[in-house]
Amino acid sequence: MPSPRRPLAPPRPRTLVPAVVTLRAGGGLAAQAPPILPSTTIVQAGRASLYPTVSLHDVGTDSNVYRDVLPKEDFTYTLTPRLYALVPIADARFIGTARGDFVYYRTYEDQRTVNGFFEGRFDMMQGRVRPFAAASFSTYREQSLEIDERFRESRSVLTLGSDVELTPVTSLTAWARRETYSWDSHATYEDVSLSQQLDRTEDDVAAGVRFRLSPFTRIMAELEVQRDRFEQSPERDADSLRIAPIVEFENGGAIIGQARVGYRAFRPLNPALADYSGFTGSAGLRYTFLESTRVNFDAGRDIRYSYEP
């Protein structure tokens, strides 16, 4: 009798419906979150302020490269150049971001990969009504909590919204977002087409009220409606309602980023699938001390679609 395929892989929750509740790193945050500019040397190029950074991380030995029954070790590291560009435009500003991840493995060349992320965001900075717009595109090959091989996935996001100032400390905000997930059409994992099972479009409409607690801290109550639609697997279609308080830490303070904890009601359109109602949360925080040391914290708990039919 053949042995299990990956008995050494970490356990993961599973269900018989195409959605699983998981703990995951790098949870998605609210679409209207203020950008986090790096603490680095600024390069002036005309009116544009450029913030270049380069980081070397994940350096060491991967003790089980393929998460398989017979572990294979390899030396690995990731080199990440990143560039922020801030351009003032009259009473507005444009922030562009470009990042690349060069993942290196010394022996197993099929694990080497290049990931890319690009984003542009436009914000009105003056007036009681301040619209904003953002568009981003990312492409990457990464193992996930459930998929132990590297396949190319792409994601694009378009966001339109506006803030409305009511008082110096209180404002309303609303936005609409479309997020598209696309997998390599030839990617197959355990005889399952990832494109057929996971390609989808998420449409979100949200609104909230924001209160400024200090020059660098704001708190917001958010209500969000989400619509998930699968072009190739419509039996996975679902709607969601989210309610969450959010704390935002802006540039200038010791802590920068955003955290939210709230409630999500997940309702599949297919009555044969189980729904979910309960706690979700996400955080992306950065703490700097002694002017030379930085600690990043990223975490989340939410619903993620499984590749399993």
Side-chain angles (χ1 to χ4, degrees):
M1 179 179 294
S3 60
R5 186 168 182 267
R6 287 182 308 280
L8 297 183
R12 56 183 181 260
R14 294 214 179 179
T15 68
L16 296 180
V17 301
V20 293
V21 180
T22 63
L23 291 173
R24 61 188 175 89
L29 300 178
Q32 83 298 337
I36 300 175
L37 297 178
S39 300
T40 183
T41 303
I42 302 175
V43 178
Q44 291 298 140
R47 293 177 55 83
S49 300
L50 306 179
Y51 300 77
T53 66
V54 178
S55 62
L56 181 66
H57 54 96
D58 296 339
V59 180
T61 300
D62 186 339
S63 61
N64 193 349
V65 174
Y66 296 101
R67 300 181 183 175
D68 214 337
V69 59
L70 299 176
K72 297 178 175 60
E73 294 187 354
D74 200 1
F75 173 76
T76 180
Y77 65 81
T78 301
L79 181 68
T80 302
R82 186 194 310 253
L83 178 66
Y84 294 84
L86 191 157
V87 184
I89 307 172
D91 293 334
R93 71 178 180 185
F94 171 82
I95 294 181
T97 306
R99 186 188 77 230
D101 294 327
F102 299 90
V103 182
Y104 173 81
Y105 278 80
R106 181 166 55 194
T107 302
Y108 299 103
E109 297 183 2
D110 63 324
Q111 296 299 293
R112 299 175 186 175
T113 188
V114 177
N115 304 324
F117 173 80
F118 310 91
E119 181 181 34
R121 180 182 174 101
F122 177 86
D123 291 272
M124 290 296 298
M125 304 303 296
Q126 302 294 329
R128 295 178 62 88
V129 178
R130 298 187 294 274
F132 57 84
S136 68
F137 174 79
S138 57
T139 176
Y140 45 89
R141 290 177 63 241
E142 296 289 348
Q143 294 171 326
S144 69
L145 293 176
E146 210 188 12
I147 300 173
D148 297 334
E149 298 179 25
R150 295 178 185 269
F151 297 102
R152 178 67 59 181
E153 180 185 2
S154 299
R155 186 178 304 182
S156 60
V157 184
L158 176 63
T159 305
L160 299 174
S162 182
D163 293 327
V164 180
E165 184 179 286
L166 301 180
T167 72
V169 297
T170 307
S171 61
L172 301 177
T173 184
W175 70 93
R177 177 179 61 188
R178 165 161 287 194
E179 190 164 359
T180 303
Y181 297 78
S182 178
W183 290 75
D184 183 344
S185 60
H186 301 292
T188 301
Y189 183 69
E190 295 186 352
D191 298 324
V192 174
S193 168
L194 298 182
S195 175
Q196 181 177 349
Q197 298 299 325
L198 296 176
D199 282 8
R200 65 189 184 277
T201 299
E202 292 183 3
D203 291 318
D204 301 83
V205 178
V209 57
R210 180 184 285 118
F211 305 94
R212 181 169 294 279
L213 303 180
S214 75
F216 308 118
T217 307
R218 300 186 298 180
I219 187 170
M220 185 176 76
E222 171 196 69
L223 175 66
E224 180 178 353
V225 177
Q226 179 174 315
R227 179 178 179 269
D228 301 335
R229 295 295 182 266
F230 293 77
E231 181 176 351
Q232 301 182 67
S233 300
E235 67 277 4
R236 291 171 169 251
D237 292 354
D239 297 329
S240 294
L241 174 69
R242 300 174 185 265
I243 302 173
I246 302 173
V247 180
E248 300 170 343
F249 302 95
E250 299 181 350
N251 293 287
I255 299 177
I256 299 175
Q258 186 187 88
R260 69 177 176 180
V261 176
Y263 169 87
R264 180 175 182 179
F266 173 79
R267 300 291 181 262
L269 302 190
N270 184 349
L273 304 183
D275 58 12
Y276 170 79
S277 298
F279 159 77
T280 61
S282 59
L285 301 173
R286 185 181 77 193
Y287 175 65
T288 303
F289 61 98
L290 301 179
E291 297 183 356
S292 60
T293 305
R294 187 176 69 190
V295 178
N296 292 319
F297 176 79
D298 295 280
R301 185 181 192 275
D302 206 339
I303 289 175
R304 172 175 290 182
Y305 285 96
S306 170
Y307 74 92
E308 295 180 342

